[in-house]
Amino acid sequence: MTYFNSKTNLLLIDIILLIVRLFVGFAMLSHGFPKLQMLLEGGDIKFFDFLGLGPKISLILTVFAEFVCSIFLILGLFTRIAGGFLMFTMLIAAFIVHGSDAFDKREMSLLYLSIYFLIVVLGAGRFSIDGMIEKKRKASEW
């Protein structure tokens, strides 16, 4: 193996996409699950109203992205769509919720944003439900 080789190993990319999807999906679940619990508890919801729709709607949208879309990401189902919702959520977190904060407060959401951007661009990879659906679709075209 040469370090200056520019050829891409597609199998390796699919394996890396699987690992990254699993890691970032489970990592974001750790942020989304407490928000889901807050939503299910019912009481008075104090949450950042990022769209002007009220704190409860904002929390519901955030739970959808951080919890539901993370599960889709882990499964590799609707991966690009789920990644888009997660990207939007991280944009809001980085530039609106923490917009006036120092970089260290925005760093985590920007890192997540960059990973979701790669997933949206590259897709779920072969080892995903999306990959299985695509393989079946291609087989039926022949």
Side-chain angles (χ1 to χ4, degrees), residues 56-94:
K56 186 172 185 175
I57 299 293
S58 296
L59 179 59
I60 290 169
L61 292 171
T62 304
V63 166
F64 173 75
E66 292 184 2
F67 190 79
V68 176
C69 289
S70 290
I71 292 171
F72 284 141
L73 209 67
I74 291 165
L75 296 173
L77 178 63
F78 311 122
T79 306
R80 286 188 163 118
I81 296 167
F85 280 108
L86 286 159
M87 280 179 61
F88 179 76
T89 303
M90 293 303 103
L91 281 167
I92 297 294

Side-chain angles (χ1 to χ4, degrees), residues 2-21:
T2 175
Y3 294 104
F4 302 106
N5 186 347
S6 64
K7 292 182 183 177
T8 303
N9 181 331
L10 297 179
L11 175 61
L12 186 58
I13 289 175
D14 287 326
I15 292 169
I16 290 170
L17 282 169
L18 172 64
I19 292 168
V20 169
R21 276 192 3 257

Side-chain angles (χ1 to χ4, degrees), residues 32-43 45 55-61 63-64:
F33 186 69
K35 292 177 180 100
L36 175 64
Q37 288 177 309
M38 183 188 336
L39 185 64
L40 295 176
E41 285 172 0
I45 294 176
K56 186 172 185 175
I57 299 293
S58 296
L59 179 59
I60 290 169
L61 292 171
V63 166
F64 173 75

Side-chain angles (χ1 to χ4, degrees), residues 80-118:
R80 286 188 163 118
I81 296 167
F85 280 108
L86 286 159
M87 280 179 61
F88 179 76
T89 303
M90 293 303 103
L91 281 167
I92 297 294
F95 296 109
I96 296 178
V97 176
H98 297 292
S100 61
D101 294 340
F103 178 76
D104 64 332
K105 292 282 188 183
R106 295 188 279 162
E107 183 178 11
M108 183 75 76
S109 54
L110 292 170
L111 286 170
Y112 275 113
L113 174 64
S114 63
I115 294 168
Y116 295 139
F117 178 72
L118 286 173

